Amino acid sequence: SEGIEISQFTLKEVIRQTIFSIAANENNKLMTGELFEMKENILKVVSLDGHRIAIRKIELKDNYPSRKVVVPGKTLISKILSGEVEDQVKIFFTDNHIVFEFDDTVVVSRLIEGEYFRIDQMLSSDYETKIMVNKRELLSCIDRATLLVKEGDKKPIIIHITDGSMELKINSQIGSMKEDIDIEKEGKDILIGFNPRFLMDALRV
């Protein structure tokens, strides 16, 4: 089949920004891979691990036939991310394999079989609260909070959102922290807790 062509840099960024949310365990093989979905001139890359979903879309120069494949995460991490060169990468598909050609390298990987999850049904577009917050400030605040959490401790970070302000709190055996960040808010006030690592993983990419 005719291959799609994108820059190595773009492909690496797309993988870096999604690979953190694939599942490590084999319970569900589909979750250990990433969905590559082609539609016209859009390549959509999706990963999920049962707690979160990462989605990244790239616009390609040409239109391509529709196609959905699930590529093992191991292939993407080991072979594709290591190169440094700013050239193009060509991606070809067969029934059971995906082929990446770049520099003097050809990487062939088996695909993961099965019907990938219906992402669109999991995402709802109606929300009650929407905020705008400085990414770096939020990340460093959560980073400081996690210093109080021992490895393996499942302590949520509690976020209280009111008009113009986002209060972050964490309590652990080691100590407690409370910080405020300025935000712009639309919608309702909300009090909500998250696993801080999930928030940091997403903000870092």
Side-chain angles (χ1 to χ4, degrees), residues 140-153:
S140 56
C141 180
I142 300 169
D143 210 1
R144 283 193 294 278
T146 54
L147 297 174
L148 297 172
V149 180
K150 286 212 280 281
E151 199 60 52
D153 244 7

Side-chain angles (χ1 to χ4, degrees), residues 20-196:
F20 68 90
S21 73
I22 63 169
N25 63 19
E26 296 288 320
N27 290 356
N28 191 323
K29 204 137 177 71
L30 287 166
M31 286 189 186
T32 64
E34 294 205 330
L35 174 72
F36 277 52
E37 182 177 0
M38 302 287 318
K39 214 176 196 171
E40 290 168 1
N41 69 329
I42 300 291
L43 169 64
K44 183 160 90 172
V45 177
V46 178
S47 65
L48 54 75
D49 64 1
H51 300 285
R52 59 227 170 133
I53 301 176
I55 302 171
R56 183 86 162 66
K57 290 183 179 145
I58 320 164
E59 221 170 292
L60 304 166
K61 293 190 181 73
D62 300 303
N63 281 348
Y64 296 94
S66 292
R67 182 125 209 185
K68 278 186 189 182
V69 300
V70 184
V71 186
K74 289 188 179 106
T75 303
L76 299 173
I77 293 170
S78 59
K79 304 292 194 296
I80 313 294
L81 287 180
S82 51
E84 284 305 315
V85 190
E86 281 318 300
D87 291 332
Q88 298 292 300
V89 53
K90 279 196 170 133
I91 305 175
F92 300 93
F93 304 100
T94 70
D95 286 343
N96 303 331
H97 293 86
I98 187 167
V99 181
F100 297 92
E101 279 185 15
F102 53 96
D103 311 333
D104 304 324
T105 309
V106 178
V107 176
V108 180
S109 167
R110 274 194 80 87
L111 297 168
I112 297 175
E113 287 172 38
E115 180 72 27
Y116 201 74
F117 312 92
R118 297 191 174 175
I119 300 303
D120 302 338
Q121 294 177 357
M122 301 179 188
L123 302 174
S124 91
S125 53
D126 54 335
Y127 49 82
E128 297 190 337
T129 309
K130 178 179 178 179
I131 65 164
M132 186 95 88
V133 60
N134 180 299
K135 185 176 76 176
R136 199 171 288 120
E137 202 180 340
L138 180 57
L139 181 55
S140 56
C141 180
I142 300 169
D143 210 1
R144 283 193 294 278
T146 54
L147 297 174
L148 297 172
V149 180
K150 286 212 280 281
E151 199 60 52
D153 244 7
K154 286 210 166 32
K155 282 281 175 204
I157 188 155
I158 307 295
I159 299 176
H160 190 196
I161 292 167
T162 51
D163 284 336
S165 161
M166 178 177 193
E167 180 191 81
L168 296 99
K169 280 196 299 205
I170 204 157
N171 289 311
S172 75
Q173 289 105 340
I174 308 170
S176 60
M177 179 207 95
K178 189 167 97 171
E179 275 191 50
D180 282 300
I181 300 179
D182 290 342
I183 58 166
E184 288 173 33
K185 184 196 81 157
E186 291 173 26
K188 295 181 178 175
D189 293 358
I190 189 171
L191 182 65
I192 191 166
F194 290 107
N195 176 331

